[in-house]
Structures are given as C-alpha cells and as structure tokens.
Amino acid sequence: MRHFLTRLSLVFLSLSGAAVAQESLPQLSIKQDAPKSYIVEKGDTLWDISEMYLDSPWLWPRLWQVNPEIDNPHLIYPGDKLSLVWRNGQPVLSVKPIMKLSPKIRVKDKKAVPTVNEGLVLPYLQSDRLVTQADIESAQRVLGTSDGRKFLTAQDRLFISGQQQHQKWGIYRAVATYQRTQPATSIVSLRLVATAQLSSVDDEFSSLKVDSQLQEILINDVVLPELVLDKSKLTTTFYPSPTAADQSANIVGSLEGAKFSAKNQVVVIDRGTDDDLRQGSMFSLRQPGAVVYGQQGEYSYDNDALGNKVQLPNTEIGNLMVIRPYQHFSLALVTQNSQPISNETLAVSPLTMVLNHSASAIEP
C-alpha cells in the first residue's frame, strides 16, 4: 500500500508540474495590425509570416499546429491563402490552397516556404563550417600552382595531394578554435574561400578547377569535399521552437571572426545535439545587467565604492535560431537584435523569464 501511495504521489506531482508548465507558457498575442487573410508569395519565409502575426515568432507552431487543415504546419506554399480565425477562444491560422492540386502534383510544382531566407542557411548545410582538430589535420591542403605563386585566382589550376575521387570541393581557411569545458572539447571554424571541381587525377596529386571564389586562395588552405545535404536531418524548412526553460548557451565567437554580430549573421554557440538542440531551437539574447556599488546618492560602477552591491536586471536584445547543430557546438543565426551581439551576450531559453515569473506566483 505504501508503494502504491508513493507511485500515486509521484504521478500527481508529475501531472501538477505539467499543468504548471502549460499554464506558464506565453499566451498567444496577435498583433493589432495582423492581416485577417494573407496570400503567401514567392520569397516569403515562415519567420516573416510569423512576425506578421506574433510578437514572438517562435510561438508560431502553436498558432498553426492545432489546425486540422494543416497536416504538416511548416509546409506552406506560395499561393496558399492564410486566414486568421478564432476557435474555442484561440487564434488559428487556416490555410487554403488557391489551386486545387493533389499532394504529389503540388509538391512537384511548388516549393515549400523555407523557415528563413535560404541564402542564409544553405551554405552552412551543404558544407562543413565547424570541424575538429583531427579533421583539420587529416584534410587535404592546397599545394599551389605550377608557376609557384603564393596567391591563387579562379583562373589558376590548383593542385591537392593524392588521387581524389570526389567531384566537388570547398576551399577553406581556419578562422578560430573554440573551447567548451563540459565536456572538455574544442572545434575549429572555417571560412569558405572558394569552391572547385575535380579536373584531373595523376599518380601523386589531383587538380581542381575553381568555379566560384570569395577571396584569394593561399597555399595550405584547407580543402574538404562538399557533402550532399541529408534532407532527413538537415533542411531549410523546420520548426522554430524555444529551448527548454533551463537551457542556456555561451556565444563563443562569430563564424567570420568579427568581434560583434548583427541580424542575419551566424555565431558559434557551445551547445549541440548532445544538449538536445536541433534545427530551429531558439534562444533569447540578453545583455547582462550592470552591477552598481555604493549607497543612496553615492552609487558607482566602481567596485571599490563603499556600500551595497546591486545587480541590475538583464535586458532582452534579440533572438538566436540554431540552423546547423553539431555534437557539442552549433551554428546559430541572429534573427533579431537591438544591440551588437558579442561573446558577452547571454543566450537563454525564451521560457526562462516566463517560468520564473510563474514559479514566483505559485510560491506559498
């Protein structure tokens, strides 16, 4: 009997916790200027459409997933008509294709609306931008050209060692090495310099023909085969959703090596698939609050000041969306910012403040 009561208590606590978590989720608040109906256009993204209706675009699955007319809420196509309706007191987006096509024909004739601009995401899906030190050490390197010049251009015939079989290659330059303490690991970020195709293969080396170039190629630049996009794992249409309430991440650097980042730029964070991150995982960006020292009328930011220490609250300054998770690190896109983003910026779950307020409200 005691064991039965214990199990019953655990079930009750679990259900109570789930109820609190549901109640603490942000209420769907539709913008006052949100359109009652909207016809999806070519070039639209789910993020743009979500911003049209919601102040917190990462809440959009709650606006669409309850809709029985949408089997897969992120598969919205140009030409679809979205209508804002209310069901049981809750806002819902209803979708209706303007042209009645069978599912198979529809998918062939139209391309689903991506989550964000594909140009911001595809380059990071089609080739590796974060690699281990072991990957760097085993990678091919640019040997140079026959005339022995240091700087190489798209017109040059480039050579790499070995008899290669891959047809498409990316030429990269190492930017920075990032560290993570738990678990202790590191990763190297790469900047894409050029893309090339296999031209010929000899006994000791292979030659590449450059087909696109972003900057001059140098001897010893890293050369990696381009990967085929695994659509089962990485795609341009995915669900933006908040990370767990206790989740946080450190911004360890900009992919391009810059000190500050802004909207539509990519940063590296020290959380990955082992931390339950996936494409679309959202973080809220917060500017750490300043610490003030002293006493009434004599406050100062100088920690030598006599008196009390007051920690001012953090300020929300933007959002971050994971676009390419690796095992221990991820590439994340800045989707919004009101201040420059740096390594000092905090990345926390959008639910953190909501759940904290809820917990305070139910304390006895």
Side-chain angles (χ1 to χ4, degrees):
M1 184 68 177
R2 180 186 301 173
H3 294 301
F4 171 76
L5 290 176
T6 300
R7 289 197 299 271
L8 184 61
S9 298
L10 290 174
V11 170
F12 176 76
L13 289 173
S14 177
L15 293 175
S16 299
V20 170
Q22 287 296 323
E23 290 177 0
S24 62
L25 288 175
Q27 294 294 320
L28 280 182
S29 178
I30 303 299
K31 289 184 174 179
Q32 290 186 352
D33 59 350
K36 300 299 182 183
S37 63
Y38 178 74
I39 296 178
V40 180
E41 299 178 356
K42 184 177 181 180
D44 282 344
T45 68
L46 293 180
W47 191 256
D48 293 336
I49 296 172
S50 301
E51 284 188 317
M52 231 187 280
Y53 289 91
L54 301 169
D55 290 319
S56 300
W58 49 266
L59 288 174
W60 74 265
R62 292 179 56 198
L63 186 63
W64 289 356
Q65 68 183 358
V66 294
N67 186 353
E69 298 176 21
I70 307 178
D71 294 329
N72 195 344
H74 68 269
L75 293 183
I76 304 297
Y77 297 84
D80 285 352
K81 182 179 180 180
L82 304 178
S83 299
L84 182 63
V85 297
W86 293 81
R87 293 176 182 164
N88 299 321
Q90 294 297 318
V92 176
L93 272 182
S94 172
V95 63
K96 180 180 180 181
I98 291 181
M99 296 182 63
K100 295 183 178 180
L101 301 172
S102 68
K104 290 184 178 179
I105 296 176
R106 186 179 184 211
V107 171
K108 288 182 179 179
D109 289 353
K110 293 184 179 182
K111 187 175 182 180
V113 171
T115 304
V116 292
N117 188 317
E118 287 187 319
L120 301 175
V121 178
L122 274 177
Y124 306 101
L125 305 185
Q126 294 175 332
S127 58
D128 276 323
R129 299 303 178 92
L130 295 181
V131 297
T132 65
Q133 190 61 44
D135 292 331
I136 291 286
E137 293 172 359
S138 63
Q140 302 299 322
R141 299 293 183 123
V142 173
L143 294 177
T145 62
S146 295
D147 58 11
R149 286 182 294 107
K150 181 179 179 181
F151 299 98
L152 307 123
T153 67
Q155 287 71 42
D156 293 317
R157 186 186 181 195
L158 308 182
F159 294 95
I160 60 177
S161 61
Q163 294 181 325
Q164 305 300 331
Q165 296 181 345
H166 291 284
Q167 293 300 308
K168 295 185 177 182
W169 296 80
I171 302 172
Y172 300 90
R173 191 160 301 141
V175 176
T177 300
Y178 305 114
Q179 307 290 335
R180 173 173 170 166
T181 55
Q182 294 294 332
T185 185
S186 64
I187 205 160
V188 180
S189 66
L190 302 176
R191 178 190 298 125
L192 183 66
V193 174
T195 60
Q197 295 191 33
L198 187 65
S199 176
S200 63
V201 180
D202 294 312
D203 292 339
E204 296 182 358
F205 50 79
S206 302
S207 67
L208 304 179
K209 177 178 175 56
V210 175
D211 49 28
S212 68
Q213 185 176 9
L214 301 177
Q215 62 185 97
E216 288 182 316
I217 304 166
L218 302 178
I219 295 177
N220 293 316
D221 274 344
V222 176
V223 186
L224 296 171
E226 287 193 359
L227 305 177
V228 177
L229 175 61
D230 184 351
K231 293 185 178 180
S232 66
K233 296 180 180 179
L234 297 171
T235 176
T236 58
T237 53
F238 45 84
Y239 288 95
S241 61
T243 52
D246 59 349
Q247 182 71 281
S248 64
N250 296 306
I251 297 175
V252 294
S254 161
L255 194 62
E256 298 300 323
K259 185 176 181 181
F260 297 103
S261 299
K263 183 178 179 179
N264 293 338
Q265 292 184 317
V266 175
V267 297
V268 182
I269 61 175
D270 64 349
R271 295 292 184 271
T273 55
D274 276 9
D275 307 288
D276 297 325
L277 294 192
R278 59 169 184 78
Q279 279 190 298
S281 292
M282 297 292 304
F283 287 92
S284 174
L285 296 174
R286 311 263 172 96
Q287 185 68 33
V291 177
V292 179
Y293 302 88
Q295 52 193 0
Q296 188 74 17
E298 298 179 355
Y299 289 122
S300 170
Y301 295 118
D302 187 352
N303 60 9
D304 291 333
L306 298 176
N308 298 326
K309 173 183 175 182
V310 180
Q311 173 69 62
L312 299 181
N314 300 330
T315 304
E316 187 171 358
I317 60 172
N319 293 303
L320 201 63
M321 178 192 295
V322 172
I323 59 172
R324 176 74 186 270
Y326 293 78
Q327 183 178 6
H328 298 300
F329 296 83
S330 294
L331 297 179
L333 180 73
V334 179
T335 58
Q336 178 189 4
N337 74 296
S338 58
Q339 295 183 30
I341 308 302
S342 71
N343 291 21
E344 302 299 321
T345 305
L346 305 175
V348 301
S349 168
L351 300 178
T352 300
M353 291 300 293
V354 176
L355 294 182
N356 285 347
H357 289 323
S358 175
S360 299
I362 63 175
E363 285 181 357

